Amino acid sequence: MKNIIYYTFIVAFASLVSACSVVDLDPSNKYSKDYGYQSQANVELYLNSFYPMIYDFGQFGSNALGGSNSSMSDGLTDILKYGGMVPGTGDCNLIMTEDRRQSVSQNYFDAWTTCYGWIRRINEFLDGLDEHQSNFTEEQYSRFRAEALFFRAYAYFLIMRSHASEKDDYGAILYTDINQMTTENKTTARSNVSASYDRVRDDINYAVNNLPLPSAARGRLHRYAADALKARAMLYAERYSLAKEAVEDIISGAQYDYIDDYSAIFKDLTNSEVIWGYGFAKGSLTHNFDQRYSMPGDVCENGDGYGGGYAGPTQEFVDSYDYADGQPFDVSDVANRFITNDNYMNRDPRLYASVLWNGEEWKGRTLQCYPGGEDMRYYPYGEVSSPGNTVTGYYMRKLMDESNRDYILNGSYQPWIEFRYAEMMLIYAECLAYEQNYTDAWDVVNKLRQKRFNDEDVYTAPISDWESALDVILKERAVELCFEGHRFWDLRRTGRAAEVLDGKRYSGVEWTLNAGDGTFTPELLSCDMGARHYPERFDRFPIPQSEISNNGLARQNSDW
């Protein structure tokens, strides 16, 4: 019973976040530090309180956008369009179309505040662990420390992803000890970008070297999860040799491989494509992804609610799916451009697994994604401020749970997959291309496509230099990793965000119902009222003003 009480407290304590990197919390209603380190079980309960960080920053979580906002970051890009025009349901549209909507005082990408709250708690844990090291074997101590350092590396990576400024050479404020985070030590400068990524690297390396293999991890963090974080973080740091090294360690473990059914990847954590993820349980540990993104015609069995219809894939995203033989899709091919039950099989099979369209069967009914239909009552974009349905004519299928017939009563409980094999292989391809090993880079992408198309002879565009490598790999990442929260950050880290996003208006399909015979006629229509913008300052989001005010040595990023 004490363990349950202790865990409850730890989770409650973990919900607190600081307003800046310096906090001075001294709760009076907590157990003594000794209690948390009395046994392996107690320490693991303590460590459990850090695991929700992974879910929170995933696309099911409250920080999906990158800061304290649950909007999917793909909604900032060319692949997903939110229907709302108001805060809450339309934040992505407001950020990308309203000048100065994103600001220091209204910072949608503020990972700083949340992550320094996590870092403080992790450093507090590490301080207690060192104090009680004699309670454990060397192996136990090293594993506990490795788990904590994994999470600290993850937090620092998120800070760098949002707030690092190459222009100013500003990175994170690096705290490796809880005593550095007192009010007396609040004047600490930001380290440069290189030193900040050094910290991420060093923490992850400890985790890689001291976490167990998956077979001994009992569902907890393991070596290859740490490798996966290292690969992702070092890719962002443009330390390609280190990212490649991490992927090669994963490959050498021979634990992971592609499976035949792309849609099955996202249904459980046990298939061979999943490196590590966060599990949920029906009715007890749930999220609300289905409630937010199901269509309004998706009425729960008990009649207690229906889908929020927050967002839908764009026509541009649908156009990015190649023909079934792998050749690039031609947008002038009107017969195959607008997806129906009669033509979807002419395209990349991942399209069927990722997108829903007008006339498709879903949960025993036919989707009505046409103006006035059950799933698209309000159209075009802008007719109402928060329509509660797609404005593109499409819905997401990927990540949705078709078997969940009452997501209000049950909640959503499909798992969040943080790291998977395909992402690692695409990172590997990018690293190989950076080394000018274009042949092997192409081969890595081609093998992924052979599996997804179920075709050994599938066409894969050639890679002959760095720019063509990015063309091929970023397109493949957009399709393979869609809705998993990579697209915006991929465009940003490769310097292509302005080219792809700035000045653009994205489209959807309007299906007109022909009353005489019940058929439909498609028309391409804009689902943006104004051009989107990506100013150069979006390459480095600001740190909180509270940090500047409370920390005399902290400096703001340029142009904020």
Side-chain angles (χ1 to χ4, degrees):
M1 182 64 181
K2 287 184 178 180
N3 282 356
I4 296 173
I5 295 172
Y6 175 74
Y7 179 59
T8 302
F9 162 70
I10 287 293
V11 171
F13 182 56
S15 68
L16 300 171
V17 297
S18 62
C20 61
S21 67
V22 178
V23 292
D24 190 15
L25 301 175
D26 187 22
S28 59
N29 59 336
K30 66 178 183 180
Y31 288 104
S32 69
K33 182 184 290 187
D34 293 341
Y35 184 83
Y37 303 93
Q38 280 183 357
S39 66
Q40 175 177 327
N42 280 13
V43 174
E44 288 182 346
L45 284 172
Y46 199 154
L47 286 165
N48 285 353
S49 69
F50 304 140
Y51 279 72
M53 187 195 317
I54 303 299
Y55 151 63
D56 284 343
F57 280 92
Q59 296 305 288
F60 297 164
S62 59
N63 294 282
L65 195 63
S68 296
N69 189 291
S70 60
S71 300
M72 298 174 70
S73 61
D74 282 356
L76 302 164
T77 76
D78 52 340
I79 74 175
L80 188 68
K81 169 69 180 179
Y82 276 80
M85 303 175 61
V86 294
T89 60
D91 288 328
C92 288
N93 295 323
L94 298 174
I95 292 166
M96 298 306 292
T97 59
E98 289 190 2
D99 189 36
R100 301 292 176 180
R101 164 66 63 166
Q102 159 62 30
S103 65
V104 176
S105 60
Q106 187 169 242
N107 190 355
Y108 292 92
F109 304 94
D110 176 16
W112 190 281
T113 298
T114 301
C115 287
Y116 275 112
W118 285 112
I119 289 166
R120 185 196 192 283
R121 293 188 292 278
I122 292 164
N123 284 344
E124 187 174 56
F125 167 84
L126 290 168
D127 180 69
L129 182 65
D130 287 345
E131 185 178 330
H132 296 83
Q133 183 174 354
S134 61
N135 291 359
F136 308 105
T137 66
E138 182 177 348
E139 181 181 355
Q140 287 174 323
Y141 168 82
S142 297
R143 181 173 69 81
F144 299 153
R145 182 173 179 81
E147 282 200 33
L149 290 182
F150 171 96
F151 289 116
R152 191 171 73 183
Y154 187 78
Y156 274 126
F157 164 66
L158 293 171
I159 289 169
M160 293 296 290
R161 186 181 71 169
S162 276
H163 304 290
S165 172
E166 294 284 351
K167 182 175 182 177
D168 306 299
D169 199 16
Y170 292 157
I173 298 175
L174 300 178
Y175 297 116
T176 58
D177 188 289
I178 189 60
N179 296 313
Q180 298 171 328
M181 304 187 77
T182 63
T183 53
E184 292 79 11
N185 294 324
K186 67 181 180 181
T187 52
T188 306
R190 296 171 69 179
S191 294
N192 62 34
V193 171
S194 179
S196 299
Y197 274 119
D198 285 348
R199 178 74 269 150
V200 176
R201 176 204 63 200
D202 292 348
D203 281 358
I204 300 176
N205 280 345
Y206 188 95
V208 169
N209 292 329
N210 290 281
L211 286 172
L213 293 174
S215 59
R218 298 177 291 112
R220 306 183 70 83
L221 283 169
H222 53 73
R223 178 188 181 95
Y224 300 128
D227 272 325
L229 175 58
K230 181 178 178 179
R232 185 187 293 173
M234 294 301 100
L235 181 73
Y236 276 70
E238 297 183 338
R239 298 182 180 186
Y240 296 99
S241 63
L242 295 179
K244 180 186 172 190
E245 172 187 282
V247 178
E248 288 177 339
D249 193 47
I250 293 171
I251 294 170
S252 70
Q255 302 266 330
Y256 308 103
D257 201 356
Y258 299 123
I259 63 173
D260 292 334
D261 183 358
Y262 177 75
S263 63
I265 298 169
F266 312 100
K267 295 180 180 179
D268 63 67
L269 297 174
T270 62
N271 69 80
S272 64
E273 293 218 26
V274 176
I275 296 174
W276 193 74
Y278 190 96
F280 295 89
K282 179 179 178 180
S284 58
L285 182 62
T286 62
H287 52 89
N288 63 355
F289 190 79
D290 293 280
Q291 182 181 353
R292 291 166 62 86
Y293 295 103
S294 287
M295 56 294 300
D298 190 358
V299 179
C300 293
E301 277 185 336
N302 291 334
D304 50 0
Y306 51 86
Y310 278 20
T314 65
Q315 185 62 50
E316 285 75 12
F317 176 57
V318 170
D319 292 343
S320 70
Y321 283 88
D322 295 329
Y323 286 109
D325 64 358
Q327 291 286 341
F329 179 71
D330 180 356
V331 296
S332 68
D333 181 1
V334 177
N336 286 297
R337 186 176 191 188
F338 307 109
I339 305 304
T340 70
N341 291 338
D342 295 325
N343 65 21
Y344 73 87
M345 70 289 297
N346 299 329
R347 306 287 285 278
D348 179 340
R350 288 173 293 188
L351 175 61
Y352 177 83
S354 302
V355 177
L356 289 165
W357 52 83
N358 181 52
E360 170 65 336
E361 293 297 312
W362 178 255
K363 295 187 179 180
R365 69 183 186 89
T366 301
L367 296 183
Q368 299 178 5
C369 302
Y370 55 87
E374 191 174 23
D375 301 302
M376 201 170 173
R377 293 191 179 98
Y378 302 105
Y379 186 84
Y381 175 65
E383 179 178 323
V384 296
S385 60
S386 189
N389 57 241
T390 180
V391 294
T392 70
Y394 300 105
Y395 282 95
M396 289 184 286
R397 186 199 300 264
K398 179 179 170 180
L399 304 183
M400 306 292 289
D401 184 357
E402 189 173 5
S403 68
N404 188 349
R405 297 305 179 98
D406 197 331
Y407 41 76
I408 303 297
L409 177 65
N410 302 324
S412 292
Y413 44 90
Q414 61 269 40
W416 171 249
I417 299 170
E418 181 64 24
F419 303 115
R420 62 187 184 91
Y421 184 67
E423 181 198 353
M424 296 301 108
M425 297 313 294
L426 289 169
I427 290 174
Y428 196 48
E430 197 168 330
C431 294
L432 290 167
Y434 183 78
E435 295 177 346
Q436 300 183 17
N437 187 348
Y438 304 124
T439 300
D440 286 353
W442 179 89
D443 189 57
V444 170
V445 177
N446 189 57
K447 285 179 178 176
L448 168 61
R449 289 170 62 82
Q450 286 174 329
K451 175 57 72 171
R452 298 303 187 230
F453 284 76
N454 192 28
D455 181 1
E456 291 293 316
D457 298 319
V458 67
Y459 173 81
T460 298
I463 293 176
S464 57
D465 55 28
W466 178 241
E467 288 304 312
S468 64
L470 285 183
D471 289 342
V472 171
I473 293 167
L474 289 180
K475 179 182 176 181
E476 199 63 28
R477 286 178 66 93
V479 170
E480 174 69 25
L481 306 177
C482 68
F483 316 142
E484 296 177 51
H486 294 280
R487 179 63 171 169
F488 178 73
W489 304 105
D490 279 346
L491 294 172
R492 189 171 174 266
R493 68 176 176 81
T494 57
R496 294 191 170 196
E499 175 189 345
V500 174
L501 305 177
D502 194 55
K504 302 298 193 300
R505 300 184 187 214
Y506 298 119
S507 309
V509 57
E510 178 180 354
W511 291 98
T512 299
L513 177 61
N514 301 313
D517 58 8
T519 61
F520 292 89
T521 302
E523 181 180 0
L524 180 71
L525 287 180
S526 173
C527 55
D528 274 328
M529 296 180 67
R532 296 177 177 228
H533 66 96
Y534 185 93
E536 187 268 344
R537 67 179 180 275
F538 274 21
D539 286 344
R540 55 194 173 277
F541 292 120
I543 69 172
Q545 183 58 42
S546 56
E547 186 67 59
I548 306 296
S549 301
N550 294 328
N551 180 351
L553 293 181
R555 297 291 179 266
Q556 186 58 273
N557 292 337
S558 293
D559 306 314
W560 290 100

